[in-house]
Amino acid sequence: MNTRTFSSNRIVLVDGLRGIALLGIVIAHALGWFIAGFIPESVWQSYQNSIPTTIVNYFDGIFISGKFYTFFSLLFGLSFSLQFTNRKANDTHFELRFLWRLILLFVIGFIHHIHWRGDILGIYAFLGIFLLLANFFSNRMVLALAIFMILNIPILVVRTIEYWHPAPKVSEAVAKKEQEKSNKEQLKNFQTLKAGTYPQIIQQNFKDFAFKADFQWSSGRIFITYGFFLLGLLIGRLRLFDHFQEYKKQFKKTVWACFILNIVIVTFFITLQATIPWDQLPSWFGIFSEFLFSIHSATMTLMYVAGFSLLLSKISWKGILEQLSYVGRMALTNYLLQSLIGILLFYGLGLGLAGDFNPAWCLLGAVVFFLFQIRLSKWWLSRYYYGPIEWLWRSATYGKWQKMLRSSYPLRDSMTQ
């Protein structure tokens, strides 16, 4: 199958992968009621004895959590690489224009964050500057830096130093008091999002910029995200999707290698959980388990990218690819739409249902909503060239309104064999 569309230079397979990434993202967010932060233990307790919740939690931990923000990040780096590779020979302003696009993306991300603190667009805008700098690196250097970041080595080094040079221990009474204070703060924040007014939610999310920045650095997520940016940059340079048929063998090897490694890691953790209480494990095991989880998340992401690429490239999957590509072609709009619906369902400015639904129902609702997004995206793109947010972003980038309305229906950009 030809992976490009008739009327553009877009790689339809990459658009399909964006659709898959957005499905994973909406599931991940829905499972936590779009709170995008710590959820009080008192909220989770009502679902602890629920078999569907237990199944969903295992499903989330193994297949969803920590795998789709990385998937989306890889595709961001890939998109940048494709834009740079496909730029016109006389385009001498690509870098400046890309920087301007990042500024605009940061503005979109800021507006998004004060409504929903889980926004990743602002982080992308910040890291995009360093992606632009990495474009001057050799392929070997990009690969080495990508592996270093994806495996979260900076945080592993910090954890190791902290292990050998621990901070002075606080008394049990002080630790208990701090934990109680933290629990109260989490509950207060949760209640603000669940039942607060619009100004209260905006104020809370604005305050959480500091929490978000601390989380990104202390967990290493910002390093991992940048690592997948770099991996996407390298994939674009190597034109793996432009010449996908030639690299199918390598994609298959990647799927099997990642699958086997993940079977080993997941089996290890499940066996450990069933046999040894966590508090009886040696103190150094926390560092080791964090490193294993980084490997697990990274290889699951690679397995998803390679595996879905192979599936979506099959002739029998042509119809599925086409449906997913509609969502992927207006990924920014659909990402923001997911947040909007999540806010209206779970926050106080809407129905305020956070914590009121079993996560199993949230999983089902996320899938149903994604199917709606497919239909909506297909309908929209049959009439317009871009998603509404993509159109605004593109128009602001070039300083003039871009052509939006198609001259005729239906959508003519279909896939070829």
Side-chain angles (χ1 to χ4, degrees):
M1 180 190 295
N2 189 334
T3 59
R4 290 188 180 272
T5 59
F6 271 122
S7 61
S8 73
N9 205 35
R10 297 185 69 95
I11 301 178
V12 71
L13 180 55
V14 174
D15 286 329
L17 291 176
R18 286 195 191 95
I20 292 289
L22 283 166
L23 172 59
I25 286 171
V26 72
I27 289 174
H29 294 160
L31 290 178
W33 303 292
F34 276 81
I35 294 300
F38 295 115
I39 296 174
E41 185 65 27
S42 58
V43 177
W44 284 118
Q45 281 177 351
S46 58
Y47 301 108
Q48 283 184 347
N49 297 323
S50 166
I51 294 177
T53 301
T54 301
I55 294 172
V56 166
N57 285 341
Y58 272 103
F59 173 77
D60 179 39
I62 296 172
F63 298 105
I64 303 295
S65 180
K67 286 84 177 176
F68 283 93
Y69 83 91
T70 53
F71 196 146
F72 210 50
S73 299
L74 183 149
L75 294 175
F76 185 90
L78 174 60
S79 296
F80 164 77
S81 185
L82 294 175
Q83 290 172 27
F84 183 80
T85 302
N86 295 328
R87 75 192 189 286
K88 294 180 181 179
N90 61 349
D91 185 0
T92 58
H93 302 292
F94 176 84
E95 288 81 4
L96 288 176
R97 187 169 61 253
F98 186 75
L99 281 173
W100 174 236
R101 282 173 64 83
L102 292 177
I103 292 172
L104 294 171
L105 186 64
F106 182 83
V107 172
I108 297 171
F110 176 84
I111 296 171
H112 187 212
H113 173 93
I114 61 175
H115 291 86
W116 183 67
R117 62 184 179 180
D119 168 74
I120 200 173
L121 302 178
I123 297 169
Y124 278 19
F126 170 71
L127 291 177
I129 299 171
F130 299 95
L131 180 63
L132 191 60
L133 293 174
N135 201 39
F136 297 99
F137 299 165
S138 67
N139 286 354
R140 185 172 296 180
M141 187 172 181
V142 169
L143 177 60
L145 188 57
I147 294 173
F148 183 80
M149 294 295 181
I150 287 172
L151 295 181
N152 210 6
I153 301 301
I155 296 301
L156 182 64
V157 171
V158 171
R159 299 282 189 269
T160 303
I161 293 173
E162 290 174 346
Y163 175 77
W164 289 109
H165 302 281
K169 288 186 176 181
V170 298
S171 67
E172 186 175 337
V174 172
K176 183 179 179 181
K177 187 175 181 180
E178 290 180 351
Q179 185 61 51
E180 290 176 351
K181 181 181 177 182
S182 175
N183 291 341
K184 288 180 181 179
E185 188 68 23
Q186 290 177 23
L187 182 60
K188 178 185 175 183
N189 293 346
F190 178 83
Q191 291 298 335
T192 297
L193 296 178
K194 175 179 171 60
T197 63
Y198 180 69
Q200 289 172 334
I201 291 171
I202 295 294
Q203 184 180 22
Q204 177 64 52
N205 286 336
F206 186 81
K207 285 171 55 180
D208 281 339
F209 268 115
F211 162 78
K212 182 177 183 175
D214 178 69
F215 172 75
Q216 286 289 325
W217 290 102
S218 63
S219 67
R221 274 209 173 196
I222 197 163
F223 302 120
I224 297 171
T225 300
Y226 184 57
F228 277 97
F229 273 19
L230 294 173
L231 186 59
L233 171 65
L234 183 61
I235 290 173
R237 281 185 182 181
L238 298 176
R239 294 182 173 273
L240 298 189
F241 286 99
D242 285 276
H243 309 289
F244 180 75
Q245 297 299 325
E246 300 174 20
Y247 291 100
K248 267 192 171 182
K249 188 175 181 180
Q250 285 78 6
F251 275 71
K252 290 178 181 178
K253 287 182 177 179
T254 299
V255 170
W256 280 109
C258 291
F259 175 75
I260 292 171
L261 184 57
N262 273 290
I263 288 293
V264 173
I265 293 175
V266 171
T267 301
F268 171 75
F269 274 116
I270 291 177
T271 303
L272 194 70
Q273 185 179 21
T275 55
I276 306 175
W278 184 264
D279 57 5
Q280 293 183 15
L281 293 168
S283 56
W284 56 262
F285 188 80
I287 302 173
F288 178 65
S289 64
E290 198 168 349
F291 180 60
L292 278 184
F293 184 78
S294 294
I295 295 175
H296 163 64
S297 295
T299 51
M300 282 293 287
T301 302
L302 293 177
M303 187 176 76
Y304 285 158
V305 172
F308 282 116
S309 295
L310 290 167
L311 287 174
L312 295 175
S313 67
K314 292 178 176 290
I315 298 298
S316 58
W317 280 63
K318 177 185 174 183
I320 296 175
L321 171 59
E322 186 169 10
Q323 300 302 312
L324 290 171
S325 69
Y326 295 134
V327 180
R329 286 176 58 184
M330 42 191 289
L332 180 57
T333 294
N334 280 312
Y335 171 68
L336 296 174
L337 180 60
Q338 289 175 357
S339 300
L340 175 62
I341 298 302
I343 291 169
L344 292 177
L345 283 174
F346 300 114
Y347 284 26
L349 58 87
L351 299 178
L353 298 175
D356 295 343
F357 276 90
N358 191 302
W361 286 111
C362 293
L363 171 61
L364 178 61
V367 173
V368 171
F369 177 69
F370 181 77
L371 294 176
F372 166 75
Q373 285 191 294
I374 291 177
R375 300 290 296 179
L376 179 63
S377 299
K378 182 177 181 179
W379 174 84
W380 183 274
L381 289 172
S382 70
R383 290 156 175 77
Y384 306 101
Y385 285 104
Y386 311 103
I389 308 301
E390 285 81 1
W391 175 71
L392 287 172
W393 191 22
R394 187 177 180 87
S395 296
T397 297
Y398 290 97
K400 62 179 181 180
W401 298 116
Q402 300 293 296
K403 184 178 179 181
M404 182 63 158
L405 185 65
R406 291 180 180 274
S407 57
S408 62
Y409 307 144
L411 179 65
R412 295 174 297 175
D413 293 340
S414 58
M415 282 146 316
T416 62
Q417 297 183 9

